[in-house]
């Protein structure tokens, strides 16, 4: 009845961790920079809450996953 258990493995090959970390962190930092530029250059009357939330969420996702892959690439398994 008991089947042999398969070890848990990552859906992403370990050789891609550094590349994913660099690209995701770069995209996240670019989106963060565009968010900051948007906040600094637009007046309070012309700001859009939807654009602010969208760019903040996108930057957060990319920086979060970029940080995760950076930790995995450096050998810190979380």
């Amino acid at each position: 009845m008991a089947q042999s258990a398969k070890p848990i493995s990552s859906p992403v090959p370990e050789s891609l961790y550094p590349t994913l970390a660099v690209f995701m962190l770069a995209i996240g930092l670019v989106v963060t920079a565009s968010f900051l530029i948007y906040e600094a250059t637009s007046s309070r009357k012309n700001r859009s809450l939807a654009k602010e939330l969208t760019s903040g969420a996108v930057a957060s996702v990319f920086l979060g996953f970029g940080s995760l892959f950076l930790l995995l690439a450096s050998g810190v398994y979380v």
Side-chain angles (χ1 to χ4, degrees), residues 34-49 51-52 55:
S34 70
F35 173 79
L36 292 173
I37 291 170
Y38 174 75
E39 289 294 321
T41 58
S42 64
S43 66
R44 287 192 174 195
K45 294 179 183 178
N46 294 335
R47 290 184 185 160
S48 168
L49 180 63
K51 182 173 181 173
E52 291 178 12
S55 61

Side-chain angles (χ1 to χ4, degrees), residues 50-69:
K51 182 173 181 173
E52 291 178 12
L53 290 175
T54 302
S55 61
V58 169
S60 176
V61 167
F62 276 105
L63 289 173
F65 279 109
S67 299
L68 172 71
F69 282 115

